[in-house]
Amino acid sequence: MTAPVPLVLELNAATKRFRPDVPAALDGLSLQLYQGEILSCLGPSGCGKTTLLRMIAGFERLDAGSIAIAGRRVSGQGYWQPPEQRNVGMVFQDYALFPHLSVAKNVGFGLASLPKGSETPAQRIAWVLELVGLGGVGDRYPHQLSGGQQQRVALARALAPRPSLILLDEPLSNLDVQVRLHLRQELRTILKAANTAAILVTHDQEEALSIADRVAVLRQGHLEQCATPEAIYLEPATRFVAEFVAQANFLPARRREEGWETALGRFCLPGAESATTAELMVRPEDLLLHPEADGPARVINRQFLGREHRYQVQLTTGLTLVVRAPLSKAIAVGDRVRLTAIATNLRLFPR
């Protein structure tokens, strides 16, 4: 029988309010995270992502609810454990490396005395540098490294003490696009190799979906949905998740006997059974453009994105839709088109 995966983090109705006259930064948020699992926290600025990390790390105190790490309550019910006692590693956006210390000394700076009979600090530093792909650079200094290498040093330093949990606050946002694309997959590989639970805060939807095992979408301190990346993208629980993650289009829909009537035609779809009006979610990649001289829509903008074109198409109703289409079907700005949607990928949200 397979042993159960240990529960590393449990938030129970965690609430934090900085001022009584403004909405709570975190409002009754509950989450669980298991060993070796990577969770991405995604949401717009001000939604509570960084506050969540600070509450878990111990930099802020809860107003209500509780937080437990590795089975031990660290915050809530009148108790608060200081950050240095929580066995939590932190990776910051700006790396926070000591410029006067070598890579090896940076990594070993927060390395507490290791258990008797285990590896020495030097062995631990060497192992974790190999893990992040920096073996042999322990004698260098931060200014001798690229941005991507500096971020790996910051990650190695967080992993060195064998924390129960790693918190990463926008760790890739200061890097060039190509470095980010390369490093985000390496980041997942490194965390999986260390078998460490991790929470990654990011504004980047693609980054969140590609790195995480589960994605938590936050909005104004509330948890909108927490699910696998596939479920978040394909089965959004709310209109906000569909708009923020999938950047979907929304069309007014009215119930008729033959189905839901929209500007793109009628569709027989489940959901919103008790509603007479709803909004139809259509992802940009699920819209198809058909050039027609007297088509009911007009292309008003086209952007070249390398692998595809991104169109803005205006309907006769004035509604503008975003369409992503292959390069082979280039359509000029100003051309008339007819739009169709892939019916199997549509979702309804009641108004």
Side-chain angles (χ1 to χ4, degrees), residues 3-298:
V5 179
L7 181 64
V8 171
L9 174 69
E10 185 171 19
L11 275 76
N12 183 25
T15 300
K16 176 64 180 178
R17 188 183 298 274
F18 290 102
R19 285 169 44 192
D21 58 334
V22 297
L26 285 182
D27 195 355
L29 194 147
S30 296
L31 274 177
Q32 290 184 331
L33 187 67
Y34 292 86
Q35 183 176 329
E37 186 179 24
I38 303 172
L39 176 75
S40 286
C41 287
L42 188 61
S45 297
C47 71
K49 302 187 300 296
T50 298
T51 299
L52 173 62
L53 290 196
R54 293 180 61 82
M55 302 298 300
I56 296 170
F59 302 145
E60 302 284 353
R61 300 193 183 211
L62 286 176
D63 292 326
S66 64
I67 300 174
I69 297 174
R72 295 180 297 112
R73 179 164 48 87
V74 298
S75 188
Q77 302 173 7
Y79 178 76
W80 175 81
Q81 189 177 58
E84 65 272 14
Q85 297 177 13
R86 296 194 179 193
N87 194 27
V88 172
M90 192 92 184
V91 180
F92 298 95
Q93 180 178 352
D94 59 358
Y95 319 143
L97 300 178
F98 297 108
H100 63 289
L101 296 181
S102 68
V103 167
K105 289 183 178 179
N106 262 286
V107 172
F109 184 82
L111 197 56
S113 57
L114 296 170
K116 197 170 182 179
S118 68
E119 61 198 329
T120 65
Q123 289 173 327
R124 181 64 182 168
I125 292 169
W127 179 85
V128 77
L129 284 176
E130 287 287 346
L131 179 67
V132 301
L134 292 177
V137 302
D139 293 335
R140 296 187 191 176
Y141 287 82
H143 72 273
Q144 297 174 308
L145 305 177
S146 67
Q149 288 174 320
Q150 290 183 47
Q151 191 58 286
R152 293 186 202 204
V153 174
L155 180 58
R157 182 177 58 187
L159 288 169
R162 297 187 187 276
S164 300
L165 176 65
I166 291 280
L167 305 177
L168 303 106
D169 190 6
E170 299 273 3
L172 307 180
S173 61
N174 285 341
L175 302 175
D176 294 336
V177 173
Q178 290 302 320
V179 178
R180 289 181 68 171
L181 292 174
H182 177 69
L183 194 54
R184 72 186 183 195
Q185 184 54 50
E186 288 204 0
L187 176 61
R188 176 176 171 84
T189 301
I190 291 166
L191 291 172
K192 287 298 181 181
N195 196 29
T196 301
I199 298 180
L200 167 75
V201 159
T202 179
H203 286 85
D204 189 320
Q205 289 92 335
E206 189 173 306
E207 188 172 287
L209 296 173
S210 63
I211 292 176
D213 300 305
R214 284 190 296 146
V215 177
V217 182
L218 275 63
R219 180 191 186 198
Q220 297 178 347
H222 294 273
L223 181 63
E224 289 276 312
Q225 187 176 2
C226 184
T228 64
E230 293 84 357
I232 289 286
Y233 191 84
L234 299 175
E235 301 172 14
T238 66
R239 187 193 189 281
F240 173 80
V241 174
E243 185 174 22
F244 187 79
V245 177
Q247 300 174 341
N249 300 290
F250 293 90
L251 288 85
R254 182 172 295 275
R255 184 188 292 278
R256 303 296 187 196
E257 289 186 6
E258 303 84 355
W260 289 93
E261 185 177 287
T262 74
L264 297 183
R266 289 183 179 175
F267 302 93
C268 295
L269 299 169
E273 284 79 6
S274 61
T276 57
T277 60
E279 288 185 293
L280 181 71
M281 181 201 82
V282 189
R283 299 182 192 87
E285 66 269 25
D286 293 331
L287 282 169
L288 305 177
L289 296 177
H290 309 277
E292 289 186 0
D294 57 351
R298 183 172 62 89

